[in-house]
């Protein structure tokens, strides 16, 4: 057993893992704080997780059988962390999250649409003004002050992430297009695509918590729909479309 | 009759969004958008019930003739049946 405590979205979580590689996954999130949540991996859980991924495989074409046990364990822990944090007003969203001038922008879209590619254009445009929060699975936390975006150890194939948290500025649903165009959408319209992009629990009570968090996020977030190509101008169009929202009269 | 899936619901404007939960939730692969009377029927169908029971329940909550409500219930149940959401 490999034992360590990781602080994720403000919660110290004691993790007992089977593989030393797993500690590496959490290396930027380790803490000495007293844990309030604990998660234990086991061979049975790894087998069940592999099976679960194999079933998802049919739709998403994941090369599940090529995954090492350690990679499967990391996936199990992501699922378990999302489950445990769901009752603490935290939801995990599949998307690429970037901070510019201390505000978080999340791009969500089905895999392969080009979220990471678009965010790479942002990083090119902004240089050090842009900080990658997480390229794959950032966390959203509801609080009295608003919605915060947190990094997580599960940061996609390019491992782009930073252990930071910033206020959420916008959620943008990305589609590929020939031209670059962004528009604000009503938050009732943003709800369903957001629902599609987040982690869901099969346990009724946890799912009820997740739905409550999503309602909270919906009320406090600006949503956008972006059609974009892969030219540098796409980043300019999307940033310009979202940055000044607070000054617009509705 | 009874729903094959368990749902958690949330309101969105005039609509109700129902999200499947439970061990078979993954087989469902989507969400339901309902109006509030359809959502009330869905809620009743979480337990074993009949069209007559559902209609009596709705008559307590909604104004309308029994025939009208029965027709609505049957139409909605037919939709659920076509989507293979019911076990009977």
């Amino acid at each position: 057993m490999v034992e360590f405590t990781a602080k994720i979205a403000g919660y110290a979580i004691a993790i007992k893992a089977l593989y030393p590689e797993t500690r590496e996954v959490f290396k930027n999130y380790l803490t000495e704080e007293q844990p309030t949540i604990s998660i234990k991996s086991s061979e049975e859980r790894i087998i069940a997780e592999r099976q679960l991924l194999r079933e998802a495989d049919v739709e998403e074409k994941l090369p599940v059988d090529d995954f090492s046990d350690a990679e499967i364990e990391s996936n199990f822990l992501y699922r378990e962390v999302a489950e445990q944090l769901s009752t603490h007003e935290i939801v995990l969203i599949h998307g690429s999250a970037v901070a510019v001038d201390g505000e978080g922008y999340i791009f969500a879209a089905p895999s392969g649409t080009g979220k990471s590619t678009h965010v790479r254009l942002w990083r090119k445009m902004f240089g050090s003004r842009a900080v990658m929060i997480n390229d794959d699975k950032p966390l959203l936390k509801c609080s009295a002050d608003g919605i915060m975006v947190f990094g997580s150890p599960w940061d996609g194939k390019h491992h782009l992430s930073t252990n930071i948290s910033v206020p959420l500025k916008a959620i943008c649903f990305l589609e590929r297009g020939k031209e670059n165009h962004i528009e604000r959408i009503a938050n009732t319209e943003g709800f369903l695509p957001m629902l599609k992009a987040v982690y869901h629990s099969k346990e009724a009570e946890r799912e009820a918590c997740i739905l409550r968090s999503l309602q909270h996020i919906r009320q406090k977030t600006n949503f956008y729909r972006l059609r974009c190509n892969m030219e540098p101008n796409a980043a300019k169009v999307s940033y310009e479309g979202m940055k000044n929202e607070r000054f617009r009269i509705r | 009759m009874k729903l094959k899936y368990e749902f958690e619901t949330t309101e969105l404007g005039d609509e109700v969004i129902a999200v499947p939960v439970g061990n078979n939730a993954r087989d469902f692969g989507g969400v339901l958008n309902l109006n509030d009377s359809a959502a009330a029927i869905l809620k009743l169908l979480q337990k074993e019930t009949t069209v007559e029971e559902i209609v009596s329940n709705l008559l307590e909550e909604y104004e309308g003739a029994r025939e009208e409500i029965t027709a609505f219930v049957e139409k909605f149940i037919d939709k659920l049946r076509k989507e293979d959401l019911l076990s009977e």
Side-chain angles (χ1 to χ4, degrees), chain A residues 52 56 195 202 204 207-208 215, chain B residues 8 10-11 19 21-23 26:
Chain A
L52 209 64
L195 191 74
K202 62 183 186 179
E207 184 59 24
Q215 289 288 5
Chain B
E8 280 297 321
T10 190
E11 285 177 20
V19 182
V21 291
N23 286 329
R26 286 159 53 88

Side-chain angles (χ1 to χ4, degrees), chain A residues 71-83:
Chain A
E71 284 171 311
I72 299 285
E73 179 165 73
S74 166
N75 213 77
F76 156 70
L77 288 168
Y78 124 66
R79 190 183 303 281
E80 200 53 33
V81 165
E83 288 280 339

Side-chain angles (χ1 to χ4, degrees), chain A residues 156-204:
Chain A
K157 60 181 175 206
H158 305 297
H159 299 294
L160 296 168
S161 71
T162 320
N163 184 359
I164 54 166
S165 65
V166 298
L168 175 64
K169 173 80 172 171
I171 296 179
C172 182
F173 303 108
L174 188 147
E175 296 163 16
R176 270 201 199 152
K178 278 190 179 146
E179 305 293 323
N180 296 311
H181 175 78
I182 189 162
E183 61 185 10
R184 173 114 184 242
I185 57 174
N187 58 5
T188 46
E189 205 182 327
F191 189 78
L192 282 177
M194 172 169 70
L195 191 74
K196 251 188 173 173
V198 303
Y199 178 83
H200 292 280
S201 176
K202 62 183 186 179
E203 289 190 26

